Amino acid sequence: MKTVDKSQLTAQLLEFLQLVELEGEEILVMDGNKPVVRISQYEKSLSTEELFKDMRGKVKYFEDLTTPTFI
């Protein structure tokens, strides 16, 4: 992961964005010694259906799932 200072990011933002987009490099923006922002490629989240598609039809229910549970 590449680290850059806030002032350097301001001056070279387009170059850093191209680095992230083309090479997948993550960039950590620092304010002195303090990390402020991480820039990385956008990753689409999986929907619930996509996440559990392999389990469809394999789960067995032994009671009504809407029944209240008492502790």
Side-chain angles (χ1 to χ4, degrees), residues 1-3 5 8-9 11 16-17 19 22-24 29-31 33 41 43 48 55-56 58 63-64 68:
M1 180 181 312
K2 183 177 185 82
T3 59
D5 191 70
Q8 186 182 6
L9 178 71
F16 289 126
L17 291 178
L19 182 67
L22 299 175
E23 297 181 21
V29 181
M30 306 289 285
D31 185 11
N33 291 330
Q41 287 185 323
E43 294 180 20
T48 304
M55 297 180 70
R56 184 172 292 282
K58 296 179 181 177
E63 61 182 51
D64 182 8

Side-chain angles (χ1 to χ4, degrees), residues 31-49:
D31 185 11
N33 291 330
K34 179 181 158 193
V36 179
V37 175
R38 182 180 67 197
I39 303 173
S40 62
Q41 287 185 323
Y42 173 77
E43 294 180 20
K44 181 184 171 204
S45 322
L46 292 176
S47 68
T48 304
E49 188 170 323

